[in-house]
Amino acid sequence: MKVGFVGLGHMGSGMAANLLAAGHEVAVYNRTPAKTQALVQKGAQAAAHVADACRGDAVITMLADDSALESVVFGTAGVIGSLSKGAIHICMSTVSTGLSERLATEHARAGQRFVAAPVFGRPDSAAAAKLFIVAAGEKDAVDACMPLFNAMGQKTFYFGNKPQAANLIKLSGNFLIASVIEALGEAMALVGKGGVDVRQYLDLLTSTLFSAPIYRTYGNLIAEQKFEPAGFAVPLGQKDIRLTLAAAETLRVPMPLASLLRDRFLTLLAQGGDALDWSAIAMLPPAAAGPQPGR
Ligand SMILES: NC(=O)c1ccc[n+]([C@@H]2O[C@H](COP(=O)([O-])OP(=O)(O)OC[C@H]3O[C@@H](n4cnc5c(N)ncnc54)[C@H](OP(=O)(O)O)[C@@H]3O)[C@@H](O)[C@H]2O)c1
């Protein structure tokens, strides 16, 4: 397919490379243009403006947050002003359900199609084409995107014709992951202070009742205290919990654990932890507990 790719950060750079590797024709745009260079060497066309990435069958956006997405989508030279009729905007960022709903309306008004397709998986999974993709939007539009999804992910899940459903699922998933990180941080602080070897403890967990990838990935990061460089940075984690709470408020669903997580991320930001991985919330329980003989 002929596609544009907008947003070449930790995730987007690997995803765009996999589209190229699968034989798609890709025009790449990034606010900071230097990040297009590695992809141009792999055969991508550098788009000088957002509009130049909107000349094909579809354009994928993989931007940080709502305001980044709004800044490239709206306005005369933005995605809506530049895509041709029938072309598809595939938004793979983690953004609010409200913006997703608005984009579906605005694209339909312009005769274009909109698919929300947020992803599960960190930058290493993006680079290895191992993402899990949650897609929602009109079925024919999602079907048309499948060659692209197959190039970037290991499995795509379809959740119906309302794009915002995919964003709600993604937000709920990140809420669950952050909850696991917080719980692991507390449990490892507990056993660590009690003199237990936290690596042996983690081996026990992940080889018995807690064998899910989330416990393995984050348990290892916590055991190694490896919070830099960030695969998923603290401001993005804070953004996802904020958006989860916004959706919860709209739907009138009390989520007290999400409120606690919001304060955990705010604590890291207040202490200048913007460059840390979001798993750094697991530093807070041992810091409160004092010396850890088991670490
Ligand atoms: N990292 C993960 O593990 C992970 C996993 C699943 C989903 N996600 C989601 O995927 C999205 C991207 O994450 P990431 O880790 O790739 O983020 P990232 O490395 O911070 O990259 C963010 C991208 O957005 C662009 N951007 C930010 N503000 C902008 C603005 N105002 N105007 C135009 N472009 C702007 C950046 O451009 P510059 O290069 O110019 O800064 C960059 O291309 C986020 O929604 C995140 O929640 C991330």
Side-chain angles (χ1 to χ4, degrees):
M1 289 172 71
K2 187 175 173 190
V3 292
F5 202 107
V6 177
L8 305 171
H10 289 106
M11 298 293 286
S13 49
M15 294 160 71
N18 287 326
L19 292 174
L20 287 166
H24 297 289
E25 197 183 318
V26 188
V28 290
Y29 172 85
N30 197 63
R31 177 181 62 176
T32 308
K35 291 188 191 167
T36 60
Q37 280 165 14
L39 289 157
V40 168
Q41 278 166 11
K42 291 177 180 161
Q45 290 172 314
H49 306 283
V50 170
D52 300 325
C54 296
R55 312 251 184 258
D57 311 306
V59 62
I60 295 171
T61 51
M62 193 51 173
L63 295 155
D65 53 22
D66 279 32
S67 72
L69 182 58
E70 284 167 348
S71 75
V72 307
V73 167
F74 300 113
T76 45
V79 172
I80 293 181
S82 309
L83 268 187
S84 52
K85 287 201 188 305
I88 308 171
H89 172 196
I90 309 165
C91 172
M92 303 190 77
S93 315
T94 308
V95 291
S96 68
T97 54
L99 180 56
S100 202
E101 209 172 340
R102 181 178 168 208
L103 286 174
T105 305
E106 301 279 347
H107 278 295
R109 192 172 290 151
Q112 301 153 354
R113 299 183 284 171
F114 178 68
V115 168
V119 303
F120 286 104
R122 286 168 63 88
D124 53 345
S125 303
K130 295 281 185 207
L131 294 171
F132 292 106
I133 298 170
V134 182
E138 292 301 335
K139 183 76 167 61
D140 60 345
V142 174
D143 286 346
C145 299
M146 284 311 294
L148 305 175
F149 295 156
N150 290 339
M152 294 183 284
Q154 56 178 300
K155 189 162 182 186
T156 298
F157 300 82
Y158 179 61
F159 270 90
N161 63 3
K162 291 193 168 56
Q164 65 270 26
N167 303 97
L168 189 62
I169 290 162
K170 170 62 192 169
L171 291 172
S172 76
N174 273 19
F175 159 72
L176 278 173
I177 297 170
S179 305
V180 167
I181 296 170
E182 171 68 22
L184 273 173
E186 293 183 20
M188 287 164 84
L190 176 69
V191 299
K193 188 157 189 188
V196 172
D197 180 323
V198 293
R199 288 179 178 286
Q200 199 187 352
Y201 172 70
L202 188 61
D203 282 346
L204 162 79
L205 292 182
T206 55
S207 60
T208 55
L209 299 185
F210 302 89
S211 61
I214 287 298
Y215 285 93
R216 256 180 264 123
T217 300
Y218 287 104
N220 281 316
L221 291 178
I222 296 167
E224 289 169 25
Q225 298 282 289
K226 191 173 181 317
F227 304 121
E228 276 178 295
F232 184 61
V234 170
L236 294 179
Q238 194 264 345
K239 174 257 306 179
D240 287 357
I241 297 302
R242 178 166 42 80
L243 296 182
T244 302
L245 283 166
E249 193 165 319
T250 302
L251 293 167
R252 297 196 172 182
V253 179
M255 295 181 73
L257 196 45
S259 300
L260 180 146
L261 291 166
R262 172 190 168 276
D263 281 357
R264 292 308 234 182
F265 288 116
L266 271 184
T267 301
L268 290 182
L269 292 174
Q271 294 172 356
D274 295 55
L276 298 172
D277 192 76
W278 73 327
S279 52
I281 57 168
M283 291 193 307
L284 301 174
Q292 305 270 302
R295 283 185 187 264

